Amino acid sequence: MGKKAARKGQHSTKTTTATDTVPVVGGREPCPCGSGRRYKACHGREAATAAETLVHRPFEGLADECDWVALRELVPAATAQLKLAAGVDDADRSVTLATVLPMAWPALRRDNGSVLIGLQTHTSSGDVSRDLADALERALAAEDGTPVTPGPLPGPGPRLQDLLDVSAPLAVTVHEGFDFWVEDAEAATGDVAASLERANAAATPTARLTSVDAAYWCSMREKNHLRWVMPHPEEELLDAIARLHAAESSSLGEGTRFVGSFRAHGLLVPVWDLPGGMTADDVEKPAADFGVRLAESLADTTPLTTRQRSARNGLLNRQITLN
Protein backbone atom coordinates (compact mmCIF):
# COMPACT_ATOMS: atom_id res chain seq x y z
CA MET A 1 0.00 0.00 0.00
CA GLY A 2 2.80 2.43 -0.67
CA LYS A 3 5.68 3.61 -2.71
CA LYS A 4 7.78 0.53 -3.42
CA ALA A 5 7.38 -3.02 -2.21
CA ALA A 6 10.99 -3.14 -1.09
CA ARG A 7 10.47 -0.11 1.10
CA LYS A 8 7.06 -0.93 2.44
CA GLY A 9 7.59 -3.89 4.68
CA GLN A 10 8.46 -3.87 8.34
CA HIS A 11 11.78 -2.20 9.04
CA SER A 12 14.16 -4.77 10.49
CA THR A 13 15.71 -4.06 13.86
CA LYS A 14 18.96 -5.65 12.67
CA THR A 15 21.56 -3.13 11.59
CA THR A 16 23.36 -3.28 8.27
CA THR A 17 25.63 -0.33 8.93
CA ALA A 18 28.91 0.24 10.70
CA THR A 19 29.72 2.27 13.76
CA ASP A 20 32.26 5.06 13.58
CA THR A 21 34.92 4.03 11.01
CA VAL A 22 34.57 0.24 11.34
CA PRO A 23 33.14 -1.22 8.11
CA VAL A 24 30.37 -3.80 8.00
CA VAL A 25 31.29 -7.46 7.59
CA GLY A 26 29.49 -10.75 8.17
CA GLY A 27 28.55 -11.47 11.74
CA ARG A 28 30.88 -14.48 11.97
CA GLU A 29 33.85 -12.75 10.35
CA PRO A 30 36.67 -11.18 12.40
CA CYS A 31 35.84 -7.61 13.40
CA PRO A 32 37.79 -5.14 11.20
CA CYS A 33 38.81 -3.20 14.31
CA GLY A 34 41.46 -5.85 15.02
CA SER A 35 40.11 -7.01 18.38
CA GLY A 36 40.28 -10.65 17.35
CA ARG A 37 36.60 -11.18 18.13
CA ARG A 38 33.84 -11.93 15.65
CA TYR A 39 32.08 -8.85 14.28
CA LYS A 40 28.72 -9.75 15.85
CA ALA A 41 30.36 -9.90 19.30
CA CYS A 42 32.30 -6.67 18.84
CA HIS A 43 31.31 -3.58 16.80
CA GLY A 44 28.34 -5.45 15.31
CA ARG A 45 26.80 -5.66 18.78
CA GLU A 46 27.18 -1.91 19.29
CA ALA A 47 25.57 -1.19 15.92
CA ALA A 48 22.69 -3.59 16.56
CA THR A 49 21.98 -2.04 19.97
CA ALA A 50 21.78 1.45 18.46
CA ALA A 51 19.55 0.28 15.62
CA GLU A 52 17.10 -1.39 17.99
CA THR A 53 16.43 1.82 19.94
CA LEU A 54 13.30 2.72 18.01
CA VAL A 55 11.74 6.20 18.14
CA HIS A 56 8.09 5.49 17.35
CA ARG A 57 7.18 9.06 16.34
CA PRO A 58 10.34 10.50 14.79
CA PHE A 59 8.52 13.46 13.22
CA GLU A 60 6.63 14.51 16.35
CA GLY A 61 7.08 18.23 16.99
CA LEU A 62 7.53 19.15 13.33
CA ALA A 63 4.82 21.14 11.60
CA ASP A 64 2.55 18.89 9.51
CA GLU A 65 3.78 15.66 11.07
CA CYS A 66 1.16 13.71 9.11
CA ASP A 67 2.59 14.87 5.78
CA TRP A 68 6.11 13.92 6.90
CA VAL A 69 4.81 10.40 7.52
CA ALA A 70 2.99 10.34 4.18
CA LEU A 71 6.06 11.43 2.24
CA ARG A 72 8.15 8.85 4.06
CA GLU A 73 5.76 5.94 3.54
CA LEU A 74 3.15 6.66 0.85
CA VAL A 75 4.14 9.15 -1.82
CA PRO A 76 6.51 8.20 -4.66
CA ALA A 77 7.57 11.63 -5.89
CA ALA A 78 7.16 14.85 -3.95
CA THR A 79 9.16 17.79 -2.61
CA ALA A 80 8.77 20.45 0.06
CA GLN A 81 10.93 23.44 0.86
CA LEU A 82 12.44 23.34 4.36
CA LYS A 83 13.43 26.28 6.52
CA LEU A 84 16.49 25.92 8.73
CA ALA A 85 16.36 27.13 12.31
CA ALA A 86 17.77 30.57 12.94
CA GLY A 87 20.70 29.32 15.02
CA VAL A 88 21.93 26.81 12.44
CA ASP A 89 25.06 27.67 10.48
CA ASP A 90 24.25 28.67 6.90
CA ALA A 91 20.59 29.07 7.89
CA ASP A 92 19.78 30.86 4.61
CA ARG A 93 20.82 27.84 2.54
CA SER A 94 18.10 26.50 0.22
CA VAL A 95 17.09 23.04 1.52
CA THR A 96 14.47 20.89 -0.17
CA LEU A 97 12.94 17.72 1.23
CA ALA A 98 12.51 15.04 -1.44
CA THR A 99 10.79 11.69 -1.12
CA VAL A 100 13.73 9.90 -2.75
CA LEU A 101 16.97 10.82 -4.51
CA PRO A 102 19.02 9.08 -7.23
CA MET A 103 20.70 5.87 -6.08
CA ALA A 104 18.85 6.35 -2.76
CA TRP A 105 21.38 8.99 -1.67
CA PRO A 106 20.57 10.41 1.77
CA ALA A 107 21.26 13.90 0.45
CA LEU A 108 22.62 15.83 -2.50
CA ARG A 109 24.35 19.20 -2.75
CA ARG A 110 23.82 20.65 -6.18
CA ASP A 111 26.33 22.65 -8.19
CA ASN A 112 24.57 25.87 -7.13
CA GLY A 113 24.92 25.00 -3.43
CA SER A 114 21.28 24.12 -2.82
CA VAL A 115 20.63 20.97 -0.78
CA LEU A 116 18.17 18.12 -1.29
CA ILE A 117 17.43 15.67 1.54
CA GLY A 118 16.06 12.21 0.70
CA LEU A 119 13.32 11.02 3.04
CA GLN A 120 12.86 7.47 1.77
CA THR A 121 16.20 5.93 2.69
CA HIS A 122 17.22 2.84 4.62
CA THR A 123 18.11 4.57 7.84
CA SER A 124 20.95 3.42 10.06
CA SER A 125 19.46 3.76 13.51
CA GLY A 126 16.04 3.51 15.10
CA ASP A 127 15.55 7.29 14.97
CA VAL A 128 14.66 8.46 11.47
CA SER A 129 14.86 12.08 12.59
CA ARG A 130 18.44 11.70 13.80
CA ASP A 131 19.48 9.93 10.59
CA LEU A 132 17.95 12.65 8.42
CA ALA A 133 19.57 15.37 10.51
CA ASP A 134 22.93 13.65 10.07
CA ALA A 135 22.42 13.61 6.29
CA LEU A 136 21.44 17.29 6.37
CA GLU A 137 24.54 18.27 8.35
CA ARG A 138 26.76 16.32 5.99
CA ALA A 139 25.15 18.01 2.99
CA LEU A 140 25.59 21.47 4.49
CA ALA A 141 29.29 20.72 4.95
CA ALA A 142 29.77 19.09 1.53
CA GLU A 143 31.29 20.67 -1.54
CA ASP A 144 28.98 21.89 -4.29
CA GLY A 145 28.04 19.24 -6.81
CA THR A 146 28.50 16.22 -4.55
CA PRO A 147 26.08 13.62 -3.17
CA VAL A 148 25.96 12.49 0.44
CA THR A 149 26.34 8.73 0.30
CA PRO A 150 25.21 6.24 2.98
CA GLY A 151 27.59 6.39 5.91
CA PRO A 152 28.23 4.81 9.29
CA LEU A 153 25.72 4.70 12.09
CA PRO A 154 25.37 8.30 13.32
CA GLY A 155 26.29 8.89 16.93
CA PRO A 156 24.42 11.19 19.32
CA GLY A 157 23.63 14.55 17.80
CA PRO A 158 20.89 16.91 16.66
CA ARG A 159 17.61 15.74 15.22
CA LEU A 160 15.49 17.43 12.55
CA GLN A 161 13.58 19.16 15.32
CA ASP A 162 16.86 20.87 16.31
CA LEU A 163 17.92 21.92 12.81
CA LEU A 164 14.62 23.02 11.26
CA ASP A 165 12.19 25.83 11.98
CA VAL A 166 9.48 23.60 13.46
CA SER A 167 6.83 26.28 12.99
CA ALA A 168 7.29 26.43 9.21
CA PRO A 169 4.51 24.51 7.41
CA LEU A 170 5.40 21.69 5.06
CA ALA A 171 4.06 22.83 1.67
CA VAL A 172 4.06 19.58 -0.31
CA THR A 173 4.33 19.49 -4.10
CA VAL A 174 3.49 16.10 -5.61
CA HIS A 175 5.24 15.35 -8.93
CA GLU A 176 4.39 12.95 -11.72
CA GLY A 177 8.00 11.76 -11.83
CA PHE A 178 11.47 12.49 -10.53
CA ASP A 179 12.67 15.24 -12.85
CA PHE A 180 13.19 17.39 -9.75
CA TRP A 181 16.34 15.35 -9.11
CA VAL A 182 18.28 17.52 -11.52
CA GLU A 183 18.08 21.15 -12.57
CA ASP A 184 17.82 20.13 -16.24
CA ALA A 185 16.34 16.63 -16.52
CA GLU A 186 16.74 16.53 -20.30
CA ALA A 187 20.49 17.08 -19.96
CA ALA A 188 21.01 14.27 -17.42
CA THR A 189 23.51 11.56 -18.39
CA GLY A 190 25.10 8.39 -17.05
CA ASP A 191 23.89 6.73 -13.86
CA VAL A 192 21.66 9.66 -12.93
CA ALA A 193 19.85 9.57 -16.28
CA ALA A 194 19.38 5.80 -16.08
CA SER A 195 18.12 5.98 -12.51
CA LEU A 196 15.79 8.82 -13.47
CA GLU A 197 14.31 6.85 -16.36
CA ARG A 198 13.70 3.76 -14.23
CA ALA A 199 12.16 5.78 -11.42
CA ASN A 200 9.81 7.71 -13.70
CA ALA A 201 8.59 4.47 -15.28
CA ALA A 202 7.75 3.01 -11.87
CA ALA A 203 6.12 6.09 -10.29
CA THR A 204 2.54 5.52 -9.12
CA PRO A 205 0.16 8.38 -10.04
CA THR A 206 -0.52 10.19 -6.77
CA ALA A 207 -2.27 13.37 -5.70
CA ARG A 208 -2.67 15.17 -2.38
CA LEU A 209 -6.23 16.16 -1.60
CA THR A 210 -6.93 19.84 -0.93
CA SER A 211 -10.18 19.43 1.03
CA VAL A 212 -8.53 17.64 3.97
CA ASP A 213 -5.03 17.38 5.40
CA ALA A 214 -2.50 14.62 4.63
CA ALA A 215 -4.82 12.51 2.47
CA TYR A 216 -3.31 11.05 -0.70
CA TRP A 217 -5.11 9.49 -3.67
CA CYS A 218 -3.19 7.00 -5.77
CA SER A 219 -3.99 5.02 -8.90
CA MET A 220 -3.15 1.33 -9.11
CA ARG A 221 -3.76 -1.12 -11.98
CA GLU A 222 -7.10 -2.50 -10.85
CA LYS A 223 -8.37 0.15 -8.44
CA ASN A 224 -7.54 3.44 -6.82
CA HIS A 225 -6.95 4.11 -3.14
CA LEU A 226 -7.14 6.89 -0.61
CA ARG A 227 -4.64 6.76 2.24
CA TRP A 228 -5.12 9.37 4.93
CA VAL A 229 -2.57 9.98 7.70
CA MET A 230 -4.43 11.17 10.80
CA PRO A 231 -3.03 12.93 13.89
CA HIS A 232 -5.56 11.71 16.46
CA PRO A 233 -4.60 9.41 19.34
CA GLU A 234 -4.92 5.86 18.06
CA GLU A 235 -7.41 4.52 20.60
CA GLU A 236 -9.76 7.48 20.17
CA LEU A 237 -9.50 7.27 16.39
CA LEU A 238 -10.24 3.55 16.34
CA ASP A 239 -13.31 4.11 18.52
CA ALA A 240 -14.52 6.88 16.23
CA ILE A 241 -14.05 4.87 13.04
CA ALA A 242 -15.67 1.83 14.68
CA ARG A 243 -18.79 3.91 15.39
CA LEU A 244 -18.93 4.99 11.76
CA HIS A 245 -18.21 1.50 10.46
CA ALA A 246 -20.98 -0.02 12.60
CA ALA A 247 -23.36 2.62 11.25
CA GLU A 248 -22.26 1.83 7.67
CA SER A 249 -20.90 5.38 7.37
CA SER A 250 -17.21 4.62 6.91
CA SER A 251 -17.16 4.54 3.10
CA LEU A 252 -16.57 7.45 0.75
CA GLY A 253 -19.62 6.83 -1.39
CA GLU A 254 -20.90 4.31 -3.90
CA GLY A 255 -18.34 1.77 -4.99
CA THR A 256 -15.86 2.72 -2.26
CA ARG A 257 -14.88 0.62 0.73
CA PHE A 258 -13.04 1.28 3.96
CA VAL A 259 -10.54 -1.58 4.09
CA GLY A 260 -8.66 -0.92 7.31
CA SER A 261 -5.62 0.97 8.47
CA PHE A 262 -1.93 0.68 9.12
CA ARG A 263 0.33 2.30 11.68
CA ALA A 264 3.30 4.31 10.44
CA HIS A 265 5.73 6.23 12.65
CA GLY A 266 3.25 6.27 15.51
CA LEU A 267 0.25 7.52 13.51
CA LEU A 268 -2.73 5.67 12.10
CA VAL A 269 -3.36 5.67 8.35
CA PRO A 270 -6.91 4.65 7.31
CA VAL A 271 -7.22 3.25 3.77
CA TRP A 272 -10.11 3.11 1.31
CA ASP A 273 -10.50 1.20 -1.95
CA LEU A 274 -11.92 3.37 -4.71
CA PRO A 275 -13.32 2.49 -8.14
CA GLY A 276 -10.77 2.67 -10.94
CA GLY A 277 -12.55 5.61 -12.49
CA MET A 278 -12.67 7.69 -9.29
CA THR A 279 -10.14 10.50 -9.62
CA ALA A 280 -8.57 12.64 -6.93
CA ASP A 281 -11.04 15.42 -7.75
CA ASP A 282 -13.93 12.98 -7.40
CA VAL A 283 -12.91 12.03 -3.87
CA GLU A 284 -12.44 15.60 -2.55
CA LYS A 285 -16.02 16.14 -1.39
CA PRO A 286 -16.59 12.60 -0.04
CA ALA A 287 -13.37 12.94 1.98
CA ALA A 288 -14.43 16.31 3.35
CA ASP A 289 -17.83 14.86 4.29
CA PHE A 290 -16.15 11.92 6.01
CA GLY A 291 -13.98 14.40 7.93
CA VAL A 292 -17.14 16.02 9.31
CA ARG A 293 -18.59 12.64 10.31
CA LEU A 294 -15.29 11.64 11.90
CA ALA A 295 -15.11 14.85 13.95
CA GLU A 296 -18.60 14.21 15.27
CA SER A 297 -17.71 10.62 16.09
CA LEU A 298 -14.50 11.69 17.86
CA ALA A 299 -16.57 14.01 20.04
CA ASP A 300 -18.77 11.09 21.15
CA THR A 301 -17.31 9.74 24.40
CA THR A 302 -20.08 7.28 25.26
CA PRO A 303 -19.07 3.61 25.65
CA LEU A 304 -19.10 1.56 22.46
CA THR A 305 -22.11 -0.65 21.86
CA THR A 306 -21.76 -4.37 21.24
CA ARG A 307 -22.03 -3.79 17.49
CA GLN A 308 -19.42 -1.01 17.64
CA ARG A 309 -17.02 -3.14 19.71
CA SER A 310 -17.36 -5.89 17.14
CA ALA A 311 -16.55 -3.40 14.38
CA ARG A 312 -13.55 -2.18 16.35
CA ASN A 313 -12.23 -5.71 16.75
CA GLY A 314 -12.55 -6.18 13.02
CA LEU A 315 -10.53 -3.01 12.44
CA LEU A 316 -7.78 -4.24 14.75
CA ASN A 317 -7.63 -7.59 12.98
CA ARG A 318 -6.94 -5.81 9.70
CA GLN A 319 -4.34 -3.41 11.09
CA ILE A 320 -0.65 -3.70 10.30
CA THR A 321 2.42 -1.78 11.44
CA LEU A 322 4.99 -0.58 8.94
CA ASN A 323 7.56 0.58 11.46
Side-chain angles (χ1 to χ4, degrees):
M1 299 191 305
K3 40 189 189 296
K4 293 189 177 93
R7 272 274 306 123
K8 293 305 301 168
Q10 289 267 13
H11 292 298
S12 172
T13 57
K14 295 182 180 179
T15 185
T16 57
T17 60
T19 56
D20 299 322
T21 59
V22 178
V24 176
V25 296
R28 294 180 176 275
E29 296 180 38
C31 187
C33 74
S35 66
R37 291 181 292 172
R38 290 180 177 178
Y39 177 71
K40 68 178 182 179
C42 192
H43 279 81
R45 176 181 296 174
E46 180 183 347
T49 299
E52 290 170 1
T53 305
L54 180 64
V55 176
H56 291 280
R57 287 183 63 180
F59 306 116
E60 185 176 17
L62 295 172
D64 301 309
E65 178 188 4
C66 293
D67 279 304
W68 279 90
V69 172
L71 266 58
R72 168 77 179 184
E73 297 296 335
L74 307 178
V75 184
T79 57
Q81 194 70 24
L82 300 178
K83 183 179 180 182
L84 296 177
V88 175
D89 291 341
D90 210 8
D92 294 331
R93 176 75 53 185
S94 173
V95 178
T96 301
L97 179 70
T99 46
V100 68
L101 294 176
M103 279 71 78
W105 289 329
L108 168 66
R109 181 153 174 159
R110 284 177 166 163
D111 292 336
N112 63 5
S114 62
V115 168
L116 277 74
I117 302 297
L119 187 54
Q120 296 175 16
T121 58
H122 291 285
T123 56
S124 301
S125 74
D127 185 357
V128 176
S129 179
R130 171 66 191 121
D131 296 331
L132 293 170
D134 177 68
L136 175 55
E137 287 190 310
R138 292 166 62 198
L140 291 173
E143 296 182 0
D144 292 349
T146 59
V148 171
T149 57
L153 189 72
R159 307 174 72 240
L160 286 176
Q161 290 82 345
D162 302 312
L163 300 181
L164 301 180
D165 180 349
V166 297
S167 66
L170 194 70
V172 176
T173 300
V174 177
H175 302 274
E176 293 182 358
F178 299 87
D179 288 353
F180 61 84
W181 280 353
V182 292
E183 295 178 86
D184 185 358
E186 294 183 356
T189 60
D191 290 343
V192 171
S195 184
L196 181 62
E197 183 178 358
R198 289 193 301 269
N200 282 342
T204 299
T206 302
R208 186 183 188 277
L209 300 193
T210 59
S211 59
V212 294
D213 293 332
Y216 290 81
W217 168 95
C218 69
S219 178
M220 300 298 189
R221 288 185 178 180
E222 297 181 356
K223 62 183 68 174
N224 299 337
H225 302 283
L226 182 71
R227 297 169 294 186
W228 188 344
V229 187
M230 296 188 173
H232 315 290
E234 182 173 327
E235 296 302 312
E236 296 176 17
L237 181 56
L238 284 172
D239 283 353
I241 295 177
R243 290 189 178 93
L244 296 177
H245 202 61
E248 299 183 353
S249 298
S250 61
S251 76
L252 298 175
E254 184 178 355
T256 72
R257 185 170 68 97
F258 176 75
V259 294
S261 62
F262 60 87
R263 186 187 298 107
H265 301 292
L267 298 181
L268 209 60
V269 186
V271 180
W272 288 262
D273 281 349
L274 310 174
M278 193 172 194
T279 67
D281 289 340
D282 294 335
V283 81
E284 290 279 9
K285 187 178 186 304
D289 291 343
F290 178 86
V292 173
R293 298 197 301 274
L294 180 63
E296 294 172 350
S297 187
L298 284 165
D300 184 353
T301 58
T302 59
L304 297 181
T305 65
T306 300
R307 180 180 175 85
Q308 291 167 348
R309 287 197 302 272
S310 178
R312 192 183 195 281
N313 289 335
L315 297 179
L316 286 174
N317 289 337
R318 297 198 298 270
Q319 188 180 94
I320 62 174
T321 299
L322 296 185
N323 39 57

